[in-house]
Amino acid sequence: MPCPSTVNIPECFAQLNYAAISGDVEYARFFYDGLLIESGYASLCVKCGACEEKCPPQGIRIRDVLTEVSTLFGR
Ligand code: SF4
């Protein structure tokens, strides 16, 4: 953060994690859709890699995870 394409990375990760832990995808989608109304959702990611360059110690493939998020929640 901040992402030049306005992706709210922490919230995208939070709702993906909630869905994975609880198994309740619809409840996670409710918050995902409610919190990320006009911007912030995962499909806005243009895969520039800027966030991964800023966060190398954790080695998280943020772009791949965001693809997973947009596939799960539909945007
Ligand atoms: S890879 Fe995606 S989430 Fe990361 S900074 Fe670029 S547009 Fe934003």
XYZ file of all heavy atoms in Angstrom:
581
model
N 0.857 -1.179 0.000
C 0.000 0.000 0.000
C 0.904 1.244 0.000
O 1.919 1.262 0.672
C -0.889 0.023 1.234
C -1.864 -1.139 1.297
S -3.239 -0.984 0.161
C -4.329 0.046 1.104
N 0.566 2.339 -0.660
C -0.609 2.390 -1.511
C -0.350 1.763 -2.879
O 0.732 1.870 -3.434
C -0.870 3.891 -1.646
C 0.474 4.520 -1.554
C 1.262 3.646 -0.609
N -1.371 1.157 -3.404
C -1.309 0.559 -4.733
C -1.717 1.621 -5.765
O -2.731 2.282 -5.585
C -2.270 -0.621 -4.778
S -2.709 -1.147 -6.449
N -0.967 1.778 -6.861
C -1.325 2.782 -7.865
C -2.661 2.498 -8.552
O -3.267 3.416 -9.121
C -0.172 2.715 -8.865
C 0.501 1.412 -8.618
C 0.290 1.081 -7.182
N -3.137 1.275 -8.455
C -4.439 0.941 -9.054
C -5.541 0.871 -8.006
O -6.636 0.366 -8.285
C -4.343 -0.402 -9.789
O -3.430 -0.306 -10.858
N -5.245 1.343 -6.815
C -6.197 1.471 -5.695
C -6.628 0.133 -5.083
O -7.595 0.098 -4.335
C -7.487 2.275 -6.057
O -8.356 1.455 -6.860
C -7.157 3.569 -6.784
N -5.926 -0.946 -5.370
C -6.302 -2.230 -4.760
C -6.056 -2.159 -3.250
O -4.963 -1.790 -2.804
C -5.487 -3.393 -5.360
C -5.867 -4.703 -4.682
C -5.702 -3.488 -6.864
N -7.057 -2.491 -2.485
C -6.928 -2.540 -1.029
C -6.425 -3.943 -0.675
O -7.210 -4.848 -0.376
C -8.278 -2.251 -0.368
C -8.167 -2.135 1.138
O -7.313 -2.780 1.753
N -9.022 -1.338 1.732
N -5.123 -4.097 -0.718
C -4.513 -5.418 -0.558
C -4.844 -6.044 0.799
O -5.243 -7.216 0.843
C -2.991 -5.333 -0.797
C -2.712 -4.799 -2.206
C -2.334 -6.698 -0.608
C -1.254 -4.395 -2.441
N -4.705 -5.320 1.913
C -5.020 -5.949 3.210
C -6.448 -6.460 3.301
O -6.691 -7.552 3.833
C -4.752 -4.819 4.222
C -3.776 -3.923 3.538
C -4.146 -3.972 2.079
N -7.393 -5.673 2.797
C -8.793 -6.101 2.903
C -9.074 -7.289 1.986
O -9.835 -8.205 2.342
C -9.725 -4.936 2.577
C -11.152 -5.172 3.010
C -11.279 -5.452 4.501
O -10.612 -4.769 5.304
O -12.024 -6.375 4.857
N -8.475 -7.291 0.802
C -8.640 -8.437 -0.102
C -8.110 -9.708 0.562
O -8.753 -10.766 0.521
C -7.892 -8.192 -1.409
S -8.677 -6.972 -2.493
N -6.937 -9.602 1.177
C -6.352 -10.751 1.851
C -7.213 -11.170 3.044
O -7.396 -12.360 3.299
C -4.934 -10.420 2.334
C -3.860 -10.624 1.300
C -3.962 -10.077 0.035
C -2.734 -11.361 1.600
C -2.971 -10.260 -0.919
C -1.737 -11.566 0.657
C -1.849 -11.001 -0.604
N -7.732 -10.180 3.770
C -8.521 -10.480 4.965
C -9.767 -11.288 4.613
O -10.100 -12.268 5.293
C -8.912 -9.180 5.669
N -10.452 -10.890 3.542
C -11.685 -11.595 3.200
C -11.400 -12.969 2.590
O -12.166 -13.918 2.780
C -12.557 -10.747 2.276
C -13.031 -9.455 2.924
C -13.624 -9.654 4.315
O -14.282 -10.646 4.594
N -13.363 -8.700 5.205
N -10.282 -13.083 1.863
C -9.896 -14.401 1.362
C -9.572 -15.335 2.528
O -9.998 -16.500 2.553
C -8.678 -14.289 0.436
C -8.182 -15.615 -0.148
C -9.208 -16.208 -1.107
C -6.839 -15.421 -0.852
N -8.831 -14.816 3.502
C -8.489 -15.619 4.671
C -9.734 -16.016 5.454
O -9.846 -17.159 5.911
C -7.520 -14.856 5.587
C -6.128 -14.783 5.006
O -5.747 -15.605 4.170
N -5.349 -13.806 5.434
N -10.661 -15.054 5.588
C -11.888 -15.379 6.317
C -12.645 -16.505 5.620
O -13.111 -17.452 6.266
C -12.787 -14.146 6.465
C -14.049 -14.497 7.196
C -14.074 -14.531 8.584
C -15.194 -14.863 6.499
C -15.217 -14.911 9.259
C -16.349 -15.241 7.166
C -16.354 -15.255 8.542
O -17.481 -15.647 9.210
N -12.745 -16.401 4.295
C -13.464 -17.431 3.537
C -12.781 -18.787 3.687
O -13.447 -19.821 3.838
C -13.539 -17.032 2.065
N -11.450 -18.798 3.670
C -10.712 -20.059 3.772
C -10.848 -20.685 5.149
O -11.009 -21.904 5.277
C -9.238 -19.810 3.457
N -10.804 -19.850 6.181
C -10.838 -20.366 7.556
C -12.254 -20.792 7.941
O -12.456 -21.853 8.532
C -10.296 -19.295 8.536
C -8.798 -19.108 8.299
C -10.572 -19.691 9.988
C -8.212 -17.894 9.005
N -13.222 -19.943 7.600
C -14.589 -20.220 8.036
C -15.332 -21.153 7.075
O -16.275 -21.832 7.472
C -15.374 -18.909 8.148
O -15.621 -18.369 6.847
N -14.928 -21.114 5.806
C -15.658 -21.871 4.800
C -16.917 -21.170 4.327
O -17.650 -21.695 3.494
N -17.168 -19.978 4.878
C -18.382 -19.236 4.540
C -18.047 -18.165 3.493
O -17.823 -16.996 3.822
C -18.970 -18.601 5.807
C -20.375 -18.057 5.579
O -20.762 -17.865 4.403
O -21.073 -17.815 6.583
N -18.033 -18.566 2.239
C -17.653 -17.655 1.157
C -18.670 -16.528 1.005
O -18.302 -15.374 0.756
C -17.495 -18.432 -0.172
C -17.214 -17.483 -1.329
C -16.381 -19.461 -0.044
N -19.931 -16.837 1.167
C -20.955 -15.808 0.976
C -20.860 -14.708 2.025
O -21.076 -13.525 1.717
C -22.352 -16.433 0.978
C -22.622 -17.304 -0.239
C -22.269 -16.605 -1.554
O -22.667 -15.440 -1.755
O -21.571 -17.232 -2.375
N -20.527 -15.070 3.245
C -20.365 -14.056 4.291
C -19.160 -13.177 3.964
O -19.211 -11.950 4.096
C -20.191 -14.745 5.642
C -20.400 -13.849 6.832
C -21.680 -13.409 7.171
C -19.331 -13.458 7.630
C -21.882 -12.596 8.270
C -19.526 -12.638 8.732
C -20.803 -12.211 9.053
O -20.999 -11.392 10.139
N -18.058 -13.781 3.523
C -16.870 -13.020 3.128
C -17.190 -12.127 1.939
O -16.752 -10.976 1.879
C -15.721 -13.976 2.803
N -17.963 -12.629 0.996
C -18.327 -11.837 -0.177
C -19.182 -10.624 0.227
O -19.049 -9.541 -0.337
C -19.105 -12.696 -1.168
C -19.332 -12.013 -2.519
C -20.381 -12.725 -3.364
N -20.245 -14.157 -3.396
C -19.400 -14.828 -4.186
N -18.630 -14.171 -5.002
N -19.336 -16.153 -4.127
N -20.036 -10.813 1.214
C -20.861 -9.712 1.708
C -19.982 -8.548 2.166
O -20.222 -7.385 1.812
C -21.742 -10.201 2.868
C -22.536 -9.132 3.547
C -23.722 -8.678 2.988
C -22.098 -8.586 4.738
C -24.455 -7.671 3.614
C -22.818 -7.585 5.373
C -24.000 -7.131 4.803
N -18.936 -8.848 2.936
C -18.033 -7.797 3.413
C -17.161 -7.276 2.279
O -16.890 -6.077 2.183
C -17.174 -8.301 4.574
C -17.942 -8.309 5.859
C -18.501 -9.482 6.333
C -18.140 -7.141 6.579
C -19.240 -9.485 7.508
C -18.876 -7.132 7.750
C -19.427 -8.313 8.219
N -16.703 -8.169 1.430
C -15.875 -7.768 0.282
C -16.638 -6.763 -0.577
O -16.111 -5.702 -0.922
C -15.521 -9.015 -0.523
C -14.580 -8.791 -1.677
C -13.196 -8.702 -1.479
C -15.051 -8.696 -2.980
C -12.331 -8.518 -2.542
C -14.190 -8.513 -4.050
C -12.835 -8.431 -3.823
O -11.974 -8.251 -4.878
N -17.863 -7.077 -0.912
C -18.666 -6.188 -1.748
C -19.028 -4.903 -1.015
O -19.107 -3.833 -1.617
C -19.952 -6.893 -2.206
C -19.678 -7.934 -3.274
O -18.600 -7.882 -3.893
O -20.545 -8.798 -3.481
N -19.247 -4.997 0.282
C -19.646 -3.834 1.045
C -18.521 -2.858 1.298
O -18.717 -1.637 1.284
N -17.324 -3.380 1.523
C -16.188 -2.520 1.857
C -15.488 -1.987 0.619
O -14.910 -0.910 0.642
C -15.182 -3.290 2.728
C -15.665 -3.642 4.132
C -14.712 -4.647 4.780
C -15.742 -2.393 4.985
N -15.509 -2.756 -0.454
C -14.764 -2.378 -1.650
C -15.773 -2.077 -2.759
O -15.921 -2.833 -3.712
C -13.812 -3.515 -2.046
C -12.931 -4.043 -0.899
C -12.122 -5.243 -1.350
C -12.014 -2.953 -0.372
N -16.480 -0.963 -2.606
C -17.606 -0.679 -3.486
C -17.140 -0.165 -4.852
O -17.402 -0.780 -5.880
C -18.562 0.332 -2.827
C -19.129 -0.279 -1.548
C -19.686 0.708 -3.784
C -19.912 0.680 -0.690
N -16.458 0.973 -4.863
C -16.070 1.578 -6.139
C -14.594 1.405 -6.451
O -14.162 1.648 -7.577
C -16.438 3.061 -6.148
C -17.944 3.286 -6.112
C -18.315 4.751 -6.202
O -17.413 5.595 -6.262
O -19.509 5.046 -6.192
N -13.809 1.057 -5.462
C -12.390 0.824 -5.686
C -11.917 -0.174 -4.648
O -12.636 -0.531 -3.726
C -11.593 2.128 -5.574
O -11.662 2.619 -4.261
N -10.704 -0.641 -4.851
C -10.108 -1.516 -3.855
C -10.197 -2.990 -4.169
O -9.454 -3.789 -3.594
N -11.089 -3.385 -5.063
C -11.270 -4.820 -5.305
C -10.135 -5.397 -6.164
O -9.450 -4.689 -6.911
C -12.644 -5.115 -5.905
C -13.070 -4.230 -7.037
C -12.782 -4.545 -8.347
C -13.773 -3.058 -6.769
C -13.183 -3.728 -9.384
C -14.177 -2.217 -7.802
C -13.879 -2.555 -9.105
O -14.268 -1.730 -10.128
N -9.966 -6.698 -6.049
C -8.763 -7.364 -6.553
C -8.600 -7.328 -8.065
O -7.470 -7.298 -8.570
C -8.757 -8.812 -6.072
N -9.700 -7.309 -8.801
C -9.567 -7.349 -10.262
C -9.041 -6.041 -10.832
O -8.749 -5.961 -12.030
C -10.896 -7.726 -10.921
O -11.886 -6.769 -10.648
N -8.891 -4.998 -9.997
C -8.263 -3.758 -10.455
C -6.750 -3.911 -10.586
O -6.093 -3.067 -11.183
C -8.575 -2.609 -9.479
C -10.025 -2.121 -9.460
C -10.227 -1.173 -8.284
C -10.360 -1.408 -10.758
N -6.197 -4.971 -10.038
C -4.742 -5.195 -10.083
C -4.287 -5.373 -11.531
O -4.836 -6.187 -12.272
C -4.393 -6.441 -9.271
S -2.647 -6.902 -9.388
N -3.262 -4.587 -11.906
C -2.709 -4.675 -13.269
C -1.398 -5.467 -13.287
O -0.679 -5.446 -14.280
C -2.511 -3.278 -13.878
C -3.842 -2.576 -14.054
C -1.554 -2.436 -13.048
N -1.087 -6.129 -12.154
C 0.077 -7.019 -12.057
C 1.404 -6.288 -12.265
O 2.335 -6.850 -12.851
C -0.033 -8.181 -13.045
C -1.404 -8.864 -13.101
C -1.775 -9.521 -11.815
C -3.107 -10.266 -11.931
N -3.672 -10.642 -10.637
N 1.478 -5.026 -11.801
C 2.714 -4.255 -12.004
C 3.855 -4.739 -11.113
O 5.018 -4.505 -11.411
C 2.445 -2.771 -11.764
S 2.138 -2.348 -10.023
N 3.535 -5.344 -9.981
C 4.555 -5.891 -9.097
C 5.113 -4.912 -8.080
O 5.979 -5.283 -7.277
N 4.652 -3.667 -8.087
C 5.184 -2.663 -7.168
C 5.028 -3.078 -5.703
O 5.929 -2.857 -4.890
C 4.505 -1.323 -7.409
N 3.901 -3.667 -5.369
C 3.673 -4.067 -3.972
C 4.625 -5.178 -3.552
O 5.083 -5.209 -2.401
C 2.226 -4.501 -3.786
S 1.699 -5.809 -4.919
N 4.947 -6.084 -4.452
C 5.852 -7.187 -4.099
C 7.272 -6.681 -3.919
O 8.022 -7.200 -3.092
C 5.778 -8.278 -5.173
C 4.419 -8.949 -5.205
C 4.284 -10.002 -6.300
O 5.275 -10.301 -6.994
O 3.166 -10.518 -6.472
N 7.664 -5.633 -4.659
C 8.991 -5.046 -4.484
C 9.121 -4.370 -3.138
O 10.191 -4.326 -2.547
C 9.260 -4.032 -5.599
C 9.443 -4.673 -6.973
C 9.572 -3.638 -8.088
O 9.714 -2.440 -7.780
O 9.507 -4.043 -9.261
N 8.002 -3.836 -2.619
C 8.029 -3.135 -1.338
C 7.939 -4.093 -0.167
O 8.142 -3.710 0.977
C 6.867 -2.135 -1.248
C 7.034 -0.964 -2.194
C 5.834 -0.053 -2.125
C 5.985 1.081 -3.131
N 4.771 1.877 -3.275
N 7.620 -5.330 -0.429
C 7.384 -6.283 0.647
C 8.138 -7.593 0.412
O 7.572 -8.674 0.594
C 5.880 -6.543 0.760
S 5.380 -7.329 2.287
N 9.432 -7.523 0.027
C 10.143 -8.751 -0.327
C 10.413 -9.701 0.841
O 10.439 -10.919 0.610
C 11.466 -8.242 -0.927
C 11.638 -6.871 -0.389
C 10.277 -6.329 -0.157
N 10.600 -9.227 2.092
C 10.933 -10.181 3.160
C 9.868 -11.251 3.379
O 10.166 -12.367 3.755
C 11.087 -9.305 4.408
C 11.358 -7.935 3.880
C 10.609 -7.849 2.584
N 8.611 -10.877 3.152
C 7.553 -11.855 3.383
C 7.401 -12.818 2.212
O 6.817 -13.878 2.358
C 6.230 -11.132 3.654
C 6.288 -10.308 4.950
C 4.952 -9.681 5.291
O 3.920 -10.080 4.792
N 4.981 -8.696 6.165
N 7.909 -12.436 1.050
C 7.901 -13.328 -0.107
C 6.524 -13.753 -0.565
O 6.378 -14.815 -1.168
N 5.536 -12.927 -0.312
C 4.169 -13.281 -0.699
C 3.962 -12.936 -2.169
O 4.294 -11.834 -2.603
C 3.144 -12.528 0.170
C 3.346 -12.874 1.643
C 1.711 -12.846 -0.267
C 2.532 -12.036 2.600
N 3.405 -13.869 -2.911
C 3.083 -13.630 -4.327
C 1.741 -12.896 -4.383
O 0.694 -13.516 -4.622
C 3.033 -14.949 -5.087
C 4.317 -15.750 -5.051
C 5.285 -15.353 -6.113
N 4.671 -15.355 -7.438
C 5.209 -14.745 -8.477
N 6.319 -14.066 -8.350
N 4.610 -14.804 -9.648
N 1.809 -11.599 -4.109
C 0.577 -10.815 -3.959
C -0.281 -10.886 -5.222
O -1.506 -11.022 -5.145
C 0.925 -9.355 -3.596
C 1.608 -9.315 -2.229
C -0.329 -8.470 -3.595
C 2.179 -7.959 -1.843
N 0.363 -10.808 -6.382
C -0.414 -10.835 -7.631
C -1.188 -12.142 -7.776
O -2.338 -12.156 -8.209
C 0.515 -10.621 -8.825
C 1.015 -9.188 -8.931
C 2.092 -9.034 -9.967
N 3.376 -9.534 -9.486
C 4.530 -9.364 -10.124
N 4.544 -8.725 -11.287
N 5.660 -9.825 -9.610
N -0.559 -13.244 -7.415
C -1.231 -14.535 -7.524
C -2.398 -14.629 -6.541
O -3.464 -15.171 -6.872
C -0.245 -15.672 -7.257
C 0.797 -15.797 -8.356
O 0.608 -15.191 -9.433
O 1.810 -16.489 -8.121
N -2.172 -14.118 -5.336
C -3.240 -14.163 -4.333
C -4.416 -13.293 -4.765
O -5.581 -13.672 -4.603
C -2.713 -13.728 -2.951
C -3.848 -13.706 -1.928
C -1.602 -14.663 -2.483
N -4.119 -12.141 -5.369
C -5.206 -11.270 -5.829
C -5.990 -11.908 -6.971
O -7.205 -11.704 -7.091
C -4.651 -9.906 -6.246
C -4.169 -9.039 -5.076
C -3.470 -7.793 -5.586
C -5.311 -8.672 -4.144
N -5.330 -12.683 -7.798
C -6.041 -13.428 -8.835
C -6.997 -14.428 -8.188
O -8.142 -14.604 -8.624
C -5.051 -14.168 -9.747
O -4.239 -13.205 -10.413
C -5.775 -15.022 -10.782
N -6.528 -15.061 -7.124
C -7.375 -16.000 -6.383
C -8.587 -15.273 -5.788
O -9.718 -15.774 -5.834
C -6.529 -16.633 -5.264
C -7.139 -17.835 -4.612
C -6.215 -18.443 -3.563
O -4.981 -18.229 -3.626
O -6.733 -19.109 -2.674
N -8.348 -14.081 -5.248
C -9.427 -13.287 -4.645
C -10.460 -12.909 -5.701
O -11.674 -13.082 -5.498
C -8.852 -12.015 -3.984
C -9.987 -11.075 -3.539
C -7.975 -12.376 -2.797
N -10.009 -12.391 -6.843
C -10.962 -11.942 -7.865
C -11.727 -13.113 -8.450
O -12.903 -12.995 -8.812
C -10.246 -11.145 -8.962
O -9.310 -11.932 -9.632
N -11.089 -14.276 -8.532
C -11.784 -15.457 -9.025
C -12.866 -15.901 -8.035
O -13.993 -16.217 -8.422
C -10.788 -16.609 -9.249
O -9.820 -16.189 -10.217
C -11.491 -17.870 -9.730
N -12.517 -15.879 -6.749
C -13.461 -16.320 -5.727
C -14.662 -15.382 -5.613
O -15.810 -15.840 -5.557
C -12.746 -16.421 -4.370
C -13.606 -16.900 -3.204
C -14.031 -18.361 -3.417
C -12.839 -16.758 -1.885
N -14.384 -14.067 -5.605
C -15.457 -13.104 -5.352
C -16.052 -12.508 -6.630
O -17.004 -11.740 -6.561
C -14.960 -11.996 -4.437
C -14.588 -12.481 -3.061
C -13.364 -12.157 -2.499
C -15.458 -13.272 -2.323
C -13.013 -12.594 -1.230
C -15.119 -13.706 -1.050
C -13.893 -13.377 -0.499
N -15.463 -12.803 -7.764
C -16.052 -12.376 -9.024
C -15.728 -10.976 -9.472
O -16.311 -10.465 -10.430
N -14.783 -10.310 -8.802
C -14.311 -8.999 -9.269
C -13.059 -8.572 -8.520
O -12.736 -9.104 -7.497
C -15.369 -7.918 -9.133
C -15.726 -7.565 -7.698
C -16.858 -6.576 -7.660
N -17.094 -6.163 -6.296
C -16.972 -4.908 -5.864
N -16.639 -3.938 -6.673
N -17.218 -4.605 -4.610
S 0.727 -5.759 -8.491
Fe -1.435 -5.201 -8.371
S -1.834 -4.854 -6.193
Fe 0.386 -4.817 -6.475
S 0.845 -2.607 -6.734
Fe 0.578 -3.501 -8.801
S -1.578 -3.163 -9.315
Fe -1.353 -2.868 -7.088
